Amino acid sequence: MELRHLHVVLTVAEAGSISRAASLLKIAQAGLTAQLRRIERGFGGPLFLRRSDGVELTELGRHVVLRSRDLVERFDDLLVTTRKLAAEHPGTGIRLGGVAGSLTPLLVGVVRSLLPTHPQTTHIERSGDAVLELVRTAKVDLALVTEFPQSPLRIPEEVDYRTVVTEPMLVGIASGHRLAGRGEVRLSELADEEWAVLDECYGGGRLNLQLACEAAGFTPRCAHFGVDPVSAAELVRSAHTVACFFPSGNDLPGVVLKPIVGNPVHRCVMLVWQRDCEAAEYVEDVYAALLRAYQERTWGHGRSAKLAATGLTVAAS
């Protein structure tokens, strides 16, 4: 006996006629009659008395209809409430995360292409530690974080990771700067310059830049603090200012990006995920697609020759 059989019994009882019920159910009258006989055998006796003007419920039929109506109403309510709950809290969604400046938009695009039917949310935090905590507590499934060798992240035991790319820090100078014709520059040659310092939420690496400059024999003259990459580029173009950037697919008109001799400052961009989360099954596909997308974005449009000597290292898939 199945739920659809109860629907048949209720329809016949409410219609009061097999012919009218057949019309409501959109099946042939002979087919409904045969189906009703099989249902009655399943219940152990006749549910309806057949009359010339229709059908009438037997005592067994009244019992079946009463209990069936309650069961069907409860089941219909179950369907309505579960579908509403599923819409409010989709179980097949992918929750992404990252720090600003960590190529998180690239991750969003990759996951959307790989899993187009999965709803997505994205959480951007100001620090890698905050992102890792979201991953550890299963509030985020997949995320990108950045790590500098001089200030390593504390990766929780529950979190797995893979390095996507190791990016060198590049110095941005105006196209008319005295060093603009150089293939690469030494940090010591920038000792007298004013620096625009990216906010740490953009992966600026201020501490690491400071340590590298001190190792080169000077303390950087940081004049502009907490700026975003667009503002930093504007300051470089319009004033006697230099700033640090990382390789990307975005052109900065009027700004020339120069590798630093010895590549003293670099960062690792890592894909992280909670080991036991459902999205872990997609990690390999996401990782491979992320590598391809990064290479297309960063090395395309004739940029490979300019970046080949910078120390940029993309992981092997």
Side-chain angles (χ1 to χ4, degrees), residues 195-199 206 210 220-228 235:
W195 290 77
V197 181
L198 293 180
D199 190 289
R206 178 182 174 186
Q210 182 102 14
R221 295 167 52 196
C222 298
H224 311 285
F225 298 91
V227 298
D228 59 82
L235 286 166

Side-chain angles (χ1 to χ4, degrees), residues 64-207:
V64 169
V65 166
L66 180 64
R67 299 297 296 271
S68 296
R69 186 172 288 118
D70 181 61
L71 287 172
V72 169
E73 289 175 354
R74 286 175 180 270
F75 186 77
D76 288 344
D77 180 67
L78 174 64
L79 286 179
V80 170
T81 55
T82 53
R83 285 169 179 167
K84 181 179 178 182
L85 187 63
E88 294 174 351
H89 305 283
T92 57
I94 300 291
R95 298 163 300 176
L96 306 176
V99 290
S102 66
L103 307 174
T104 304
L106 203 62
L107 175 64
V108 171
V110 162
V111 172
R112 182 176 291 116
S113 296
L114 287 175
L115 305 169
T117 62
H118 290 58
Q120 289 180 229
T121 56
T122 307
H123 303 267
I124 303 295
E125 296 290 335
R126 293 183 62 85
S127 72
D129 288 333
V131 174
L132 289 170
E133 180 61 16
L134 289 177
V135 175
R136 185 190 71 81
T137 56
K139 294 184 174 75
V140 162
D141 301 309
L142 303 171
L144 286 177
V145 294
T146 58
E147 179 183 63
F148 290 88
Q150 295 91 338
S151 48
L153 293 170
R154 297 182 296 274
I155 299 180
E157 184 179 344
E158 302 91 338
V159 175
D160 279 339
Y161 67 94
R162 290 187 69 177
T163 298
V164 178
V165 62
T166 300
E167 296 183 311
M169 180 180 279
L170 307 176
V171 175
I173 59 178
S175 56
H177 192 278
R178 58 186 172 83
L179 300 175
R182 295 279 193 86
E184 56 184 1
V185 300
R186 298 182 183 277
L187 274 179
S188 58
E189 295 178 294
L190 301 170
D192 295 329
E193 302 283 350
E194 290 186 351
W195 290 77
V197 181
L198 293 180
D199 190 289
E200 288 303 307
C201 74
Y202 294 101
R206 178 182 174 186
L207 171 62

Side-chain angles (χ1 to χ4, degrees), residues 26 34 53 62 65 67 84 117 133 153 223 240 242 256 273:
K26 293 181 171 54
D53 59 346
R62 285 192 291 272
V65 166
R67 299 297 296 271
K84 181 179 178 182
T117 62
E133 180 61 16
L153 293 170
H240 300 291
V242 297
V256 182
W273 66 95

